Amino acid sequence: MSSKLEAIGIAKRYGDSVALEPTDLVVQAGEFLTLLGPSGSGKTTLLQMISGLVAPSAGRIEIDGRDVTHVEPGKRGIGMVFQSYALFPHMSVWDNVAYGLRMRRKSRDEVRAAVDDALAMVRMSEYAKRFPKELSGGQQQRIALARCFAYRPSVILLDEPLGALDKKLREHMQAEIRSLHKELGATFVYVTHDQDEALTLSDRICLMNQARIEQVGTPADLYDRPATRFAAGFIGHSNLLEGELDATRGASGEPILLAAGGRIPLPTGASGAHATRHTLLLRPEAPRIVEPQSGFVDGTISDVVFFGSDTRVHLSMSDGSELTVRCGRSVSPRVGDRVGLTWDPHRTTLLHA
Ligand SMILES: Nc1ncnc2c1ncn2[C@@H]1O[C@H](COP(=O)(O)OP(=O)(O)OP(=O)(O)O)[C@@H](O)[C@H]1O
Ligand SMILES: [Mg+2]
């Protein structure tokens, strides 16, 4: 079961300070939407207004078209999981998971079936009799998830639920959360400031910055077509090439950016007045290293960093800028080599200021 969630002009102020500017957001039924953004950008504030734990200063929240702005948190049909697992230390795993169901006055049989089911879902059935302090961090987090899933909420809000786990366990739990989302079919709103986590998990990402939404889109939208410099810088590594549009066009009539000491063809359709400053986003995996003077730009290799699956090559360009290029293992770049770079202009994006 899943519900459509809508925030309409929702805003939060604390005295003179703005925690969230008036914001509109729609989360489709069954969708996995991630709120991503730097610390203090308003992610938790938005999530808590959806949950009802924080009252908005303006605007409203709708669930399946019903205004719930003044409905108390426990009656919104929303489940919540936080970074601190907040399990009851004096209760067994089984009783922790049963807690929400007992609060909702389910029958004994219903409680038993739902707890067993939720524990099986997070693969913790054999830990039912243990106490929270007898579990690892990842196991505790799974119990926190089971406790939320047990009463089958149609909307589940998760605020940095994997924040306290180490990298390996985090990646494992990300995969689990993905499959649990599929299994439950509920609408998930997930908060993280980890861009990789957002890219792996989400149907759509809502990127937040300074108390407002910067961009909403699929992971591919945000990676391939960031709308702003902030979006380009926050998601993935980005080379930002600054320059001016040339008055003359390229051989096929394409606009040309004078940047990084070269003439760089822009994607067809890119527009802007010439002689004004523009920024081009070039992802590190787009360029190919070629002979000097046979690409769009030339540079000197200043550093080569081995990353296991690939190698990052840093280049100093003739205008003093730096570019990073990712290469496969087949090339063997050497520091000090002079090389050219070429790429498909359609893999670049002209950014708005
Ligand atoms: N109870 C409060 N009183 C005053 N200001 C608050 C309160 N709660 C949050 N804020 C402010 O609102 C802004 C947004 O905070 P919020 O907790 O939503 O950020 P966040 O994006 O979740 O950050 P983080 O990644 O650090 O958790 C911050 O500037 C914060 O200081
Ligand atoms: Mg937060």
Side-chain angles (χ1 to χ4, degrees):
M1 207 181 56
S2 62
S3 291
K4 180 180 174 184
L5 198 69
E6 214 163 340
I8 302 147
I10 201 88
K12 185 67 188 178
R13 312 180 129 266
Y14 291 100
D16 287 343
S17 81
V18 178
L20 191 70
E21 301 275 6
T23 295
D24 295 312
L25 180 67
V26 178
V27 190
Q28 298 301 335
E31 191 175 21
F32 195 122
L33 180 120
T34 298
L35 304 178
L36 172 71
S39 182
S41 55
K43 306 179 297 293
T44 296
T45 302
L46 176 54
L47 200 77
Q48 298 217 314
M49 289 195 289
I50 295 170
S51 75
L53 290 173
V54 166
S57 309
R60 60 183 204 275
I61 299 291
E62 291 187 358
I63 297 178
D64 289 332
R66 187 171 75 101
D67 188 337
V68 296
T69 317
H70 303 292
V71 175
E72 63 181 84
K75 300 210 163 113
R76 293 190 183 194
I78 288 179
M80 277 171 278
V81 183
F82 299 107
Q83 175 170 359
S84 61
Y85 332 118
L87 298 176
F88 303 114
H90 57 285
M91 283 186 200
S92 71
V93 160
W94 205 93
D95 287 329
N96 262 283
V97 178
Y99 184 81
L101 294 152
R102 287 177 174 148
M103 290 283 287
R104 284 170 180 75
R105 299 182 190 287
K106 301 286 179 197
S107 74
R108 271 180 106 86
D109 287 347
E110 277 177 306
V111 172
R112 185 174 310 118
V115 172
D116 289 346
D117 197 34
L119 285 175
M121 211 185 281
V122 297
R123 301 209 306 267
M124 288 292 289
S125 303
E126 61 273 42
Y127 296 86
K129 290 203 174 68
R130 292 220 195 159
F131 284 82
K133 66 173 191 306
E134 298 165 335
L135 301 175
S136 73
Q139 290 167 337
Q140 289 182 48
Q141 191 53 280
R142 278 197 249 169
I143 299 306
L145 290 169
R147 186 174 58 177
C148 170
F149 298 162
Y151 58 94
R152 299 275 168 168
S154 59
V155 175
I156 296 179
L157 310 178
L158 305 101
D159 196 348
E160 309 245 8
L162 310 183
L165 307 181
D166 66 45
K167 186 169 182 287
K168 206 165 166 211
L169 191 52
R170 230 179 134 92
E171 283 170 1
H172 172 75
M173 288 298 295
Q174 285 167 8
E176 300 234 315
I177 286 178
R178 264 175 75 89
S179 66
L180 288 166
H181 170 248
K182 285 208 186 76
E183 202 171 324
L184 280 167
T187 308
F188 275 42
V189 184
Y190 188 97
V191 170
T192 184
H193 57 253
D194 178 338
Q195 46 137 324
D196 290 328
E197 191 162 288
L199 290 171
T200 358
L201 288 174
S202 323
D203 293 322
R204 283 190 309 152
I205 295 172
C206 171
L207 181 64
M208 303 193 57
N209 182 32
Q210 296 187 333
R212 41 175 209 86
I213 294 178
E214 188 85 14
Q215 187 174 359
V216 185
T218 63
D221 282 340
L222 267 87
Y223 190 81
D224 295 334
R225 289 171 293 281
T228 60
R229 281 185 75 117
F230 174 82
F234 200 80
I235 296 185
H237 183 90
S238 42
N239 294 300
L240 297 176
L241 283 64
E242 309 265 358
E244 287 182 1
L245 283 192
D246 194 12
T248 60
R249 298 207 153 214
S252 326
E254 73 279 14
I256 297 289
L257 186 74
L258 303 172
R263 288 175 57 79
I264 298 175
L266 296 178
T268 45
S271 64
H274 67 76
T276 51
R277 304 288 295 170
H278 290 274
T279 303
L280 188 72
L281 167 65
L282 174 69
R283 295 291 188 192
E285 61 276 16
R288 261 185 317 118
I289 293 179
V290 293
E291 291 296 315
Q293 312 222 309
S294 61
F296 303 141
V297 290
D298 282 355
T300 304
I301 296 178
S302 57
D303 198 10
V304 177
V305 186
F306 179 62
F307 263 89
S309 56
D310 60 47
T311 302
R312 314 262 160 103
V313 178
H314 299 278
L315 294 124
S316 301
M317 313 310 287
S318 61
D319 68 346
S321 61
E322 297 270 330
L323 286 188
T324 302
V325 176
R326 258 166 73 172
C327 327
R329 301 289 297 278
S330 51
V331 258
S332 40
R334 281 187 321 246
V335 173
D337 279 358
R338 189 146 183 87
V339 295
L341 294 179
T342 187
W343 58 83
D344 175 357
H346 287 283
R347 294 189 65 186
T348 64
T349 308
L350 200 61
L351 297 173
H352 307 293

